[in-house]
Amino acid sequence: SMEGRRSTSLMLLLLYALLILALLILVVSGARLYTNALEMKELHSEQRGALAFVQSQVAANGGAGNISIRETTNGTMLCLKEQETAYETRIYASEGWLYAEFTKTDAETQPDRAVQICAVSGFDVSWQTDRLLRITADGRTAYACSDGGGGNAA
């Protein structure tokens, strides 16, 4: 009968609508999960970036007495002296960013003249041994070996 056919087509329409709604929910939640996964991946690569940057700088400048650690009002600062010059690279964290500043050894530290490396929360450098630097950023720890030891190894 006509009545039966109409109710059947109405049920089918309702079923299709339900199916489309379910697929839409699935696609939206999948996209959200993917976005979250990408953000986490980006965060981890930034954290690794901070540590890798410091390691590479130490490797490039790690001659005898070239490395010193200074405690500042902003926290720990790693200073890498350029050999036979009056210049150094200072690596430090300020307002949630890791900075590298190339400046004269006796100059004031000026974050506005420094290069912003990456976002970082918590940055610390200390001597593990007289040749091994312990670098901590974002709760992760890495090590860098200094051939000649530090200028103020503790």
Side-chain angles (χ1 to χ4, degrees):
S1 73
M2 195 73 157
E3 195 72 27
R5 230 182 253 148
R6 190 176 290 139
S7 70
T8 305
S9 59
L10 198 65
M11 286 291 280
L12 275 174
L13 206 62
L14 209 64
L15 216 60
Y16 275 126
L18 208 62
L19 190 67
I20 288 169
L21 188 70
L23 283 172
L24 204 64
I25 289 169
L26 202 64
V27 167
V28 168
S29 62
R32 196 169 292 143
L33 273 173
Y34 183 68
T35 305
N36 289 349
L38 276 182
E39 283 172 359
M40 284 300 288
K41 188 179 174 197
E42 209 170 274
L43 184 69
H44 286 313
S45 72
E46 264 196 358
Q47 288 171 350
R48 278 194 301 274
L51 295 173
F53 174 76
V54 177
Q55 284 175 315
S56 68
Q57 291 297 306
V58 169
N61 297 300
N66 284 355
I67 298 174
S68 61
I69 296 169
R70 288 184 211 142
E71 290 304 325
T72 70
T73 48
N74 280 348
T76 309
M77 181 189 295
L78 179 65
C79 302
L80 307 164
K81 194 178 178 319
E82 293 287 315
Q83 263 168 331
E84 283 128 40
T85 70
Y87 288 89
E88 67 184 356
T89 299
R90 298 172 183 169
I91 301 169
Y92 56 90
S94 178
E95 291 168 12
W97 289 91
L98 187 70
Y99 288 97
E101 184 180 338
F102 185 71
T103 185
K104 282 197 158 187
T105 49
D106 58 358
E108 286 285 311
T109 300
Q110 293 175 286
D112 57 316
R113 286 192 31 227
V115 178
Q116 218 175 49
I117 304 303
C118 61
V120 74
S121 66
F123 174 70
D124 188 58
V125 185
S126 59
W127 289 105
Q128 183 81 10
T129 69
D130 62 346
R131 292 185 58 203
L132 194 65
L133 272 176
R134 178 193 165 110
I135 310 145
T136 309
D138 296 299
R140 289 166 171 248
T141 301
Y143 296 89
C145 193
S146 163
D147 292 339
N152 62 349

